[in-house]
Amino acid sequence: STTTGDFKVADLSLAAFGRKEIKLAEHEMPGLMSIRAEYAKTQPLKGARIMGSLHMTIQTAVLIETLVELGATVRWVSCNIFSTQDHAAAAVAVGPNGTPENPQGVPVFAWKGETLEEYWWCTDQAMSWPGEAGPNMILDDGGDATMLVHKGVEFEAAGAVPQPDDSDPEEYHVVLETLRKSLATDKQRFTTMAAGIKGVTEETTTGVHRLYEMHKAGTLLFPAINVNDSVTKSKFDNKYGCRHSLIDGINRATDTLIGGKVALVCGYGDVGKGCAESLRGQGARVIITEIDPICALQAAMDGYQVTTVEDVISIVDIFVTTTGNKDIITAAHMEQMKHQAIVGNIGHFDNEIDIAGLAKLPGIKRDEIKPQVHEWTFADGHTIIMLSEGRLLNLGNATGHPSFVMSNSFANQTIAQVELFTKQGEYDKQVYVLPKHLDEKVARLHLDALGVKLTELSKDQADYIGVAVEGPYKPDTYRY
Ligand code: NAI
């Protein structure tokens, strides 16, 4: 492992492999590449110091280098301890023109298989800007970077970091420890940093949820763009992305034939819809759980059985949680599962499956089959196979979503960064979504690559349905 300088990755010698895959990905990411071409001259992100916390994959490498091409300086971490692709991290750290001996890329602090202490250390490092108080923009996925700044400001105002509660998750103890160290050396670090932050763009459902909560509580410190709810993000990445990467993760982890098996998908939102479709596509008999009558009815009309976890616990071969909610699969559930049932989560955080409760069962044993695949043996001798320790399995056991779908998400991210950075006066401390014409633009950038030929409205037709010939074509209330 070679880690020197202002970055930390697993192995810089992987950079050449990473660079080859980045080249392949660029061709599959027409949205990002045409944004690079569009803004090459005007450099709208010149002066932007972007701290990014988003899975350090090959696709993210293309995003990072797009931000750099638009003029930004960037520092990066993964938003999950298992999601980094080490060759991607190495290639970004080395940069397109550097070598492992002379790295010239973006400071990346990320490797596959971090501890929680390392994860928060990395996040802290990516926020520490040489010669500056910190970043002036955040690009977040799940809201951990935004949370750290907000908690930092809160505790600096209080003059102390509180002691964690026993009921707080283990990870929160680490967050508090990270902030305690920061406060000991600089009592105003996050307060000064936050004052300089012009905004955050947030990638995912769970992070967006946190932002709206902060806004509701009146604690949001800077403007935010909810990238997730661009149609070309959540209706594509969450759905078609998971349709691809869910079974990729299950296959790489277990190589178990999915056809003929019974699969339970908890949650039938955007992610759940994509997951259910991919499992059905492999020939599984798919069952859904939902709490929302609308999504439950959708699942039923799509032809799935909809019932509760308890109802089918003993017949299911593959369990997948997609809810963004906690305590979906409990330790008591896991005790009742079939021998060698596969259990995994694709939602953002690891609280959907109660691993802590599982570990506390009397007589329970955990055996590593390979990294991110563990067999848990119960006192009665039956076992279950847990993927990625309950963290998102498509990034832990596979390589996340493929380039083409991420080009849509990351085109939205890039446009959102440009919006917040260049139009500072126009955004308050609220949560915004990108206007529909930009959403349509992102979609448009991906049509040619798929050979799509759009029908053009005549002026007469446009008038008849009450839209402009060049769009937007739908009201904001339209659901797609
Ligand atoms: P969503 O809100 O569209 O769907 C979640 C669904 O779960 C909702 O329909 C909700 O009614 C249902 N639900 C909530 N509690 C439940 C319970 N106790 N039992 C059964 N169903 C329940 O959200 P979306 O966009 O599908 O995202 C879900 C999660 O996946 C979020 O944490 C999000 O951040 C994450 N995500 C992960 C990705 C990945 O690559 N792994 C990609 C995109 C999103």
Side-chain angles (χ1 to χ4, degrees), residues 130-209:
E132 301 280 354
N136 57 14
M137 295 290 296
I138 294 179
L139 192 158
D140 219 349
D141 181 352
D144 276 354
T146 305
M147 189 265 279
L148 193 69
V149 176
H150 280 74
K151 287 280 169 205
V153 171
E154 184 186 327
F155 300 152
E156 285 171 5
V161 177
Q163 286 305 318
D165 244 299
D166 277 353
S167 62
D168 287 328
E170 185 198 341
E171 180 156 6
Y172 192 57
H173 295 225
V174 183
V175 173
L176 294 181
E177 197 43 48
T178 308
L179 288 172
R180 191 167 294 119
K181 278 189 203 141
S182 169
L183 203 73
T185 50
D186 182 350
K187 291 188 167 40
Q188 289 291 301
R189 176 180 172 216
F190 284 102
T191 309
T192 316
M193 187 191 300
I197 293 176
K198 301 175 193 324
V200 54
T201 60
E202 169 55 52
E203 175 82 0
T204 199
T205 316
T206 286
V208 159
H209 178 72

